[in-house]
Amino acid sequence: MTGHLGELLRDVTGLALSTADVERAVRERMQLLGIRERADYAPLPATAEFEALVDLVVVPESWMLRDAAVFQEALRFVRRRMGVRPVRILSLPCAGGEEAYSMALTLLEAGIPATRCRIDAVDLSGAAIARAREGRYTRNAFRTADLSFRDRWFTRVGDEYLVDDALRAYIRFSQGNLFALSVPEPRYDLVFCRNLLIYFDEPTRIRAAEALDAVLEDDGLLLSGSAEAPAFCRHGFAPQSARVGFALRKAARIAASGPAVARRARRAVPPLPVAAPPRRTLPPAPVPTAQPRDLLAQARQEADAGRLQEAETTCRALLARQPDHAEAWFLLGMISEAAGRPQAAAEHWRRCVYLDPDQYEALCSLALLHERLGAPRAGGSRRRPRRRRGARAAGRGCTALHTGRDRDRRSGAS
């Protein structure tokens, strides 16, 4: 029965769910409903119970202004785009609304009113949409070093923060599925779709890229997670510049702009092979005068641009000089996962956690990777590490690398 439910859940969410993911969700729902026999639990799609089951395998989590550079890039695009009609923005998956509200406050503080820019925020999870509409957030949603924006646009109510109505005015929240979106008229000028494709298999990535191509204007902009930009670039997109690897245009549009632009785009994010490449050891790049922080910044830039081999070489050069550099091990894990080497990624993240036991993103990355591979993990439920370590990380903030992905944002094909 779980096998059949697993197939239904995969069909609806698009997620590459493991048997363990499905088993945990089914057990939790059966226990809550007081059902003892597995044969008695058979929810059908489009029912309230099936939606409740979906909410358990889709666990969206994000935070305000995550990756500030993304919102600044979006703002630059909106300013260039403003004209006769309002600029249309899509945030998908929107999780609990953090991304949409972050874009709204970015627009508001730039002096762009809600009448000139509209945000549609869509997620597969009904529970996530309900939280987004309510607009109440705990400290865990505020992890950046500068929290002055929280004082301006959120009101403290007990231990929570309530979003200001001025931000709500920009956004329309709705429950929906990426693969069932109708093509709007006009289409979206700007689409946020970050850290979703990393949970899909290759055929589903192709479907996702096609669905986003259909709803995005031909000269629009797609903001992706840096780790999944190569996947988009295999299926119809290309970076708008070598400087920003996560900001993508339709490849056909870039090609029409001229050969020089197209060549720069191709160099910026080279397509990764579908099959995982064989693991090999890259020689460290000797940079005797570079400081570790400079090497780390260089590796991040290379990874952002999709130059994964160069980023790995730079990371190893850093680690050859400073073997106990936890952030370098974390970045090396992200690069390995993006290159299709999950076992190497797990090894690097374990080294990171050994050196820095409170490295929240590495902890979450390991937990999610183990679940995706169907491996057992100490500590039981996947929710426990996020709550325990997330509470500890909330006060100090998490390192937000451009090459990072949303560790706990298990939002499906929203």
Side-chain angles (χ1 to χ4, degrees):
M1 182 61 69
T2 301
H4 176 62
L5 274 179
E7 291 176 5
L8 288 176
L9 287 167
R10 293 183 192 99
D11 288 343
V12 169
T13 67
L15 295 171
L17 297 170
S18 69
T19 301
D21 288 330
V22 179
E23 287 280 357
R24 274 191 293 270
V26 168
R27 283 198 301 268
E28 187 167 335
R29 290 303 302 169
M30 288 179 61
Q31 182 176 1
L32 183 65
L33 296 172
I35 298 175
R36 295 186 178 183
E37 297 298 327
R38 183 65 57 83
D40 294 333
Y41 184 74
L44 296 175
T47 64
E49 180 54 33
F50 193 85
E51 291 296 320
L53 189 62
V54 167
D55 285 337
L56 289 180
V57 297
V58 176
V59 184
E61 181 175 334
S62 186
W63 59 90
M64 300 293 171
L65 292 178
R66 185 183 187 278
D67 294 340
V70 173
F71 296 100
Q72 291 307 308
E73 189 66 29
L75 178 60
R76 283 190 287 270
F77 175 81
V78 169
R79 281 174 166 158
R80 295 194 301 267
R81 192 75 170 181
M82 290 178 66
V84 176
R85 67 171 177 82
V87 177
R88 300 199 63 189
I89 300 175
L90 173 66
S91 171
L92 179 156
C94 71
E98 295 89 344
E99 183 175 80
Y101 286 126
S102 296
M103 189 63 212
L105 72 87
T106 300
L107 294 168
L108 185 55
E109 294 194 336
I112 300 174
T115 55
R116 305 300 304 138
C117 207
R118 185 70 177 177
I119 303 170
D120 286 340
V122 181
D123 201 279
L124 180 65
S125 169
I129 291 298
R131 289 194 299 272
R133 286 174 175 154
E134 188 176 9
R136 289 179 178 267
Y137 298 94
T138 64
R139 288 180 57 199
N140 200 42
F142 303 94
R143 308 180 193 176
T144 57
D146 181 7
L147 293 177
S148 57
F149 71 90
R150 187 175 68 184
D151 297 331
R152 291 192 296 272
W153 305 115
F154 295 82
T155 301
R156 185 161 186 172
V157 181
D159 293 332
E160 296 180 319
Y161 296 86
L162 181 64
V163 70
D164 194 280
D165 286 344
L167 302 186
R168 295 180 188 271
Y170 287 84
I171 308 167
R172 178 173 56 197
F173 289 105
S174 62
Q175 185 179 4
N177 190 312
L178 168 61
F179 303 122
L181 285 181
S182 58
V183 178
E185 181 56 44
R187 289 180 290 177
Y188 292 105
D189 302 287
L190 175 64
V191 172
F192 287 85
C193 186
R194 300 194 290 157
N195 311 306
L196 175 61
L197 266 61
I198 53 178
Y199 299 114
F200 291 166
D201 57 21
E202 192 63 16
T204 310
R205 288 172 184 161
I206 295 172
R207 290 177 58 209
E210 291 173 346
L212 292 172
D213 181 281
V215 300
L216 180 67
E217 290 282 7
D218 287 343
D219 58 347
L221 187 68
L222 169 65
L223 297 176
S224 77
S226 293
E228 62 198 348
F232 276 117
C233 290
R234 290 198 299 273
H235 306 303
F237 290 88
Q240 67 170 353
S241 72
R243 180 181 62 85
V244 185
F246 58 79
L248 308 175
R249 300 270 193 169
K250 293 186 179 182
R253 181 78 180 191
I254 289 183
S257 300
V261 176
R263 282 196 299 273
R264 287 197 298 272
R266 285 195 295 271
R267 284 199 299 269
V269 181
L272 295 175
V274 175
R279 184 178 178 182
R280 58 178 177 170
T281 301
L282 296 172
V287 189
T289 58
Q291 295 297 315
R293 65 176 178 273
D294 298 326
L295 287 172
L296 184 63
Q298 177 184 333
R300 288 172 175 169
Q301 291 172 358
E302 290 165 344
D304 278 349
R307 303 195 301 273
L308 300 183
Q309 182 169 320
E310 295 174 38
E312 181 171 355
T313 301
T314 305
C315 271
R316 291 190 182 280
L318 192 166
L319 291 167
R321 299 180 59 188
Q322 190 174 333
D324 61 348
H325 200 297
E327 285 299 322
W329 284 111
F330 171 68
L331 179 56
L332 192 57
M334 294 303 305
I335 294 166
S336 297
E337 187 185 38
R341 304 197 304 270
Q343 298 302 331
E347 177 184 332
H348 301 324
W349 287 330
R350 281 194 291 268
R351 182 71 65 90
C352 173
V353 172
Y354 174 79
L355 294 169
D356 181 5
D358 287 335
Q359 221 291 7
Y360 174 64
E361 296 208 322
L363 289 165
C364 291
S365 295
L366 268 173
L368 284 173
L369 181 60
H370 287 168
E371 289 180 4
R372 286 166 56 200
L373 296 176
R377 191 193 72 210
S381 169
R382 66 180 169 193
R383 294 168 182 261
R384 218 169 298 156
R386 187 175 70 240
R387 290 174 180 165
R388 182 173 62 247
R389 289 155 183 157
R392 194 165 49 200
R396 62 178 177 83
C398 295
T399 303
L401 303 179
H402 290 317
T403 50
R405 61 178 173 75
D406 201 341
R407 310 297 183 259
D408 266 346
R409 190 173 174 178
R410 295 292 308 279
S411 292
S414 316

